[in-house]
């Protein structure tokens, strides 16, 4: 029986996060708070003996991973880029004001925030709704999202040895979607910048050990 532990870390705050702009496939650098978020995550993970580390190809995830590994026994040069771990693409809505966009997309259906949509529709149907309302059709629907994300997890797990602990620097909706797929945990609670979510994969079966851990013990 092979078991691999995955530590998913949300990147530190970016300037687009700070300004409440939708950030999926567009990117922005970390703020001072974002650098502190990453450093705090690194301190909390310093004693975890990672066998491998991955980050999405977004600079915000790469920078976060670099800071985390600076405090870890795994050398920073070991960091691998995995585009599969990108954030959801919001297509036409990228870079727009969060409040205005959530109102435009969700309010006709009675949902006034992104968290309301996730709680009322599920995160899977929320992706589908954004895709349906994107005039260009570029926003990812749930099937498209998972068609790129699951192979990324498969590659990471296939490359690991039994007992390996692996760090993955990724994004909010990516983490929420993963937790939704593999557990019944309430993901309407937003993912904090720099928080840690842990999964255990045993013979291909995923189990969420904890979600959005910002302060508690990291095991």
């Amino acid at each position: 029986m092979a078991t691999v532990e995955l530590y998913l870390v949300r990147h530190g705050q970016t300037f687009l996060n700070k300004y409440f702009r939708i950030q999926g496939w567009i990117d922005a650098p970390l703020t001072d708070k974002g650098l502190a978020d990453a450093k705090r995550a690194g301190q909390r993970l310093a004693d975890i003996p990672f066998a491998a580390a991955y980050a999405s190809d977004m600079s915000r995830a790469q920078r976060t991973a670099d800071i985390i590994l600076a405090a870890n026994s795994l050398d920073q040069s070991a960091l691998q880029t995995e585009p599969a771990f990108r954030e959801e693409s919001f297509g036409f809505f990228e870079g727009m004001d969060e409040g205005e966009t959530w109102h435009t997309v969700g309010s006709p259906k009675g949902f006034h925030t992104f968290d309301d949509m996730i709680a009322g529709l599920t995160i899977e149907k929320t992706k589908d709704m954004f895709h349906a309302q994107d005039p260009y059709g570029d926003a990812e629907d749930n099937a498209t999202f998972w068609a790129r994300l699951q192979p990324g997890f498969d590659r990471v797990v296939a490359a690991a040895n039994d007992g390996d602990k692996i760090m993955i620097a990724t994004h909010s909706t990516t983490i929420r979607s993963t937790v939704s797929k593999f557990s019944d945990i309430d993901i309407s609670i937003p993912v904090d910048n720099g928080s840690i979510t842990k999964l255990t994969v045993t013979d291909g079966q995923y189990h969420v050990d904890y979600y959005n851990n910002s302060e508690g013990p990291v095991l």
Side-chain angles (χ1 to χ4, degrees):
M1 182 178 293
T3 298
V4 177
E5 296 177 356
L6 307 178
Y7 293 76
L8 278 55
V9 185
R10 186 189 178 194
H11 61 80
Q13 184 197 63
T14 71
F15 281 94
L16 289 179
N17 294 149
K18 180 179 179 179
Y19 303 146
F20 297 97
R21 299 283 175 174
I22 294 177
Q23 182 178 218
W25 282 16
I26 62 170
D27 213 354
L30 302 185
T31 61
D32 288 344
K33 177 186 178 302
L35 295 170
D37 292 334
K39 185 175 181 180
R40 184 177 67 254
Q43 291 169 341
R44 299 179 69 217
L45 292 167
D47 294 331
I48 304 295
F50 291 124
Y54 297 82
S56 86
D57 57 346
M58 300 286 97
S59 67
R60 59 193 189 269
Q62 297 273 331
R63 182 71 176 117
T64 298
D66 283 338
I67 293 171
I68 291 171
L69 293 182
N72 196 268
S73 59
L74 183 65
D75 193 271
Q76 287 170 285
S77 65
L79 180 65
Q80 301 178 62
T81 298
E82 178 50 82
F85 297 134
R86 274 190 179 193
E87 180 60 288
E88 169 187 355
S89 171
F90 290 94
F92 171 78
F93 303 102
E94 293 274 346
M96 297 178 70
D97 177 80
E98 287 184 355
E100 180 179 354
T101 303
W102 307 150
H103 177 73
T104 299
V105 175
S107 289
K109 297 183 179 296
F111 305 107
H112 304 295
T113 70
F114 191 53
D115 296 335
D116 287 346
M117 288 182 242
I118 290 172
L121 295 173
T122 74
I123 197 167
E124 295 80 11
K125 291 181 180 178
T126 298
K127 290 192 196 72
D128 291 343
M129 184 170 68
F130 270 87
H131 174 75
Q133 296 201 32
D134 182 344
Y136 292 87
D138 289 335
E140 288 182 302
D141 62 16
N142 190 60
T144 303
F145 176 84
W146 274 103
R148 70 166 168 86
L149 179 56
Q150 188 61 58
F153 281 126
D154 292 344
R155 287 189 289 271
V156 167
V157 172
N161 295 312
D162 183 28
D164 278 358
K165 300 176 187 293
I166 298 169
M167 191 274 290
I168 301 174
T170 184
H171 306 267
S172 174
T173 307
T174 305
I175 293 170
R176 290 171 106 165
S177 297
T178 301
V179 172
S180 175
K181 182 172 183 176
F182 297 118
S183 79
D184 295 324
I185 293 172
D186 179 11
I187 60 159
S188 65
I189 301 168
V191 184
D192 295 331
N193 292 106
S195 67
I196 302 160
T197 295
K198 183 185 174 187
L199 285 74
T200 299
V201 186
T202 303
D203 291 342
Q205 299 298 309
Y206 285 71
H207 176 267
V208 180
D209 298 303
Y210 52 77
Y211 167 66
N212 192 34
N213 181 340
S214 295
E215 297 179 355
V218 177
L219 305 174

